[in-house]
Amino acid sequence: MSPTTAGVDALPILVVGAGPSGLVLALTLAQNGVAVRVIDKAPYPPKGQRGAGIMPRSQEIYEFLGVLPDILKAGHMVPPCIQYELPGSTNPPKQFDMMAMYDPSPDCPYASHHVLSWGQFPSHFLQLRPVALGQDEITKILRSHLARHGCEVEYGVELAGFDQSTESVKARVSITREGNMEPGIIQACWLVGADGGRGTVRKQAGLTFLGETRGEDALIIADVPITGLDRDHWHIWGDISTKLVTIRPCEKEGIFWIMAGGRQADCDKLASDPEAVRQFVRHVSNRTDFDFGEFITLSSFKPNIRMVNKYSEGRVFVTGDAAHVHSPMGAQGSNSGVMDSFNLGWKLALVYKSLAPIALLSTYTEERLPVIAQMLNKTTSLLDRTVAHAANKVDIKPEHLQNEDMNPWVRGKILLQLGINYRWSSIVIDEEADGGRVRSIEETRLKAYETATGASGDRVHAGDRAPDVPFLVDLKPKPNESAVGSGTKRLFDFLKPTHHTVLVFSGTVGAAVEILKEIPPLVARSMVILPTRTPIEQLVLGGGLEETHYVVKDSYGYAYKHYFVDPTKRKVVIVRPDGIVGAVVSGAEGVKKYIGLVFGTEPVN
């Protein structure tokens, strides 16, 4: 589909920018049956590794979207780091994992390089950690899935500006065809800017971008073939307070990613001269035993620590780097952009379809701003610690190399993003908390970036990430399946960005019928979860079966454990399309109230 140069081309959603944030949003909308167009001013798809770390929470989102198998097939685990002593030192290098390793649990399925059914391997073989894959490959995979919905990214189409009314947005674009620029108009119900920190959408929308630029901490990044350097480690020489070189192997054989600079380096000069980069690396590393090929990419950047004051203006939204930029420490930027888009996508789909009021879209800013504010604080703190540690020449003892409090290069569990929550949100209901939500909204906002909940000890609250559950026996199989389905399933097998999933913990299907009648079939799927010790005669399902989409038995008790359910009592947990718990209630009245908040019969505060 090409932008029109005559008349007006109308569509539901226009996305500006084809990075991971823009493509995740587009794919979420497309899977919800909402037509979307994606334009990008670049003439071709991107090259290079930028934002290569995929955190476990992003992996979960990619699974819900159906793209995770392709990402895991293409990606690889981040290798252990080797930090060499300064040139001339005879001390052995220090080795550690940049992302500390944590034992997984059944509620967190992303261990090692694979999605595992819990119990598949002994726990000492498992590691809860990120996957590395360059953004060029991530966006290629996302584009291929988007193409299955009839949507192709339109490269060489630049947003020049836009005008909006109460009904639509009229975007003015410049289209590059055979070296010539042609004007065009695209009219959409909504426009979303995923066009980066220097993009047009945020500026045109009049959103502020508060924060600072750390010019003194400038770095260069590059993708380049290297021979003679082992691919089993992430190599680090020098330090950021003086001169720094880090070299990490990529998923493509023979290709490495370089991040270099430091406060005594001239990054502007390095970014314009590949030979200067080669000499800089040789000088800092004091190594001549590996060789460079032709640079694939080479650029410089200065860490920006900025965020918008709000995520939208009228019918125009921003997501990802268009809404927040920060230091590269912690690999949070692209992952947070993916979460931005997944939060916005299901809401925008409901509003466009007139299934929810336009007020629902205000919760995008309400939920994401506190998270991003804390993410910026965390990544800035990591940058400051790394610089100070290097400047003070702190020597780390071998036994402390894997300690995140002692070694600023080691990333803690909080950066896995599994504990990000929206407990204060006006569209969550928690009947197990005071006032239906939280005791103190302001206090809770300050904990938007906490560690993972659920099996870690604290109960699951409304607003938390929904924990996974393994070993669910499907008692309502599809045609041609056996009486208990095709083996056991995980809860994540049922969660999709196209609908809410209502989990009804009940001893029988019949006891859940009252609740099931409150669930709108167009926007939700229901699942009755029977406890482990359900008598076998009750597994022969009777009255009420037609009222529910799924009936499963919690064969190992993980569902009742992770969601803190007393098997003798009834409990309802509503999981939103973005994998967040929207409600923790006891019965039909609570379900009805939540449905009213999201879909319009109750006011959104």
Side-chain angles (χ1 to χ4, degrees), residues 106-107 467-472 489-492 554 558-559 562-563:
D107 66 329
D468 195 14
V469 176
F471 299 127
L472 297 176
K489 297 182 179 179
R490 299 161 49 227
L491 178 60
F492 279 9
D554 186 19
Y558 286 120
H562 292 166
Y563 286 88

Side-chain angles (χ1 to χ4, degrees), residues 269-534:
K269 178 181 178 181
L270 292 174
S272 62
D273 186 351
E275 182 57 34
V277 176
R278 293 186 179 94
Q279 295 303 319
F280 182 82
V281 172
R282 301 225 183 277
H283 168 71
V284 176
S285 67
N286 198 31
R287 294 272 294 269
T288 59
D289 56 339
F290 57 87
D291 296 311
F292 294 87
E294 294 297 321
F295 279 74
I296 300 169
T297 68
L298 176 58
S299 61
S300 66
F301 75 94
K302 298 175 182 178
N304 279 288
I305 303 163
R306 298 180 183 277
M307 63 182 289
V308 291
N309 57 324
K310 57 181 179 177
Y311 269 82
S312 66
E313 181 61 44
R315 289 180 169 267
V316 177
F317 296 83
V318 289
T319 183
D321 285 355
H324 47 85
V325 291
H326 54 92
S327 90
M329 301 298 177
Q332 299 294 280
S334 60
N335 290 276
S336 293
V338 166
M339 292 183 68
D340 283 346
S341 293
F342 211 48
N343 184 291
L344 175 62
W346 69 273
K347 297 172 182 177
L348 203 51
L350 287 177
V351 172
Y352 174 74
K353 293 177 178 180
S354 299
L355 294 171
I358 196 171
L360 178 64
L361 298 177
S362 67
T363 65
Y364 176 44
T365 288
E366 177 190 355
E367 292 183 343
R368 292 302 294 163
L369 270 189
V371 172
I372 297 305
Q374 289 178 53
M375 180 269 290
L376 284 173
N377 288 338
K378 181 64 177 178
T379 55
T380 303
S381 174
L382 280 173
L383 175 62
D384 291 341
R385 281 188 60 216
T386 304
V387 173
H389 188 276
N392 293 328
K393 308 300 179 187
V394 177
D395 184 41
I396 306 172
K397 296 180 180 180
E399 62 268 26
H400 294 152
L401 282 173
Q402 206 56 59
N403 186 327
E404 64 179 284
D405 294 325
M406 304 294 291
N407 185 352
W409 283 102
V410 174
R411 309 303 181 225
K413 191 173 185 179
I414 195 172
L415 296 178
L416 300 178
Q417 297 193 332
L418 295 171
I420 289 174
N421 67 85
Y422 312 127
R423 294 182 184 181
W424 62 89
S425 172
S426 61
I427 56 168
V428 306
I429 298 176
D430 194 330
E431 290 184 350
E432 294 180 357
D434 293 343
R437 277 190 283 164
V438 294
R439 186 167 299 174
S440 169
I441 291 177
E442 289 304 322
E443 180 180 346
T444 307
R445 283 194 182 110
L446 296 176
K447 297 181 180 179
Y449 211 67
E450 290 295 316
T451 54
T453 58
S456 62
D458 188 15
R459 75 169 180 87
V460 174
H461 296 70
D464 289 356
R465 158 197 172 270
D468 195 14
V469 176
F471 299 127
L472 297 176
V473 180
D474 189 352
L475 300 177
K476 191 177 177 182
K478 296 177 181 179
N480 303 320
E481 287 186 348
S482 65
V484 292
S486 55
T488 62
K489 297 182 179 179
R490 299 161 49 227
L491 178 60
F492 279 9
D493 293 334
F494 299 93
L495 303 185
K496 303 296 177 186
T498 54
H499 56 258
H500 283 72
T501 305
V502 183
L503 312 179
V504 183
F505 294 86
S506 175
T508 66
V509 177
V513 170
E514 175 191 8
I515 296 168
L516 299 173
K517 291 180 177 178
E518 297 294 339
I519 300 171
L522 287 177
V523 294
R525 301 290 182 271
S526 55
M527 175 186 291
V528 175
I529 304 178
L530 301 173
T532 300
R533 295 185 179 181
T534 303

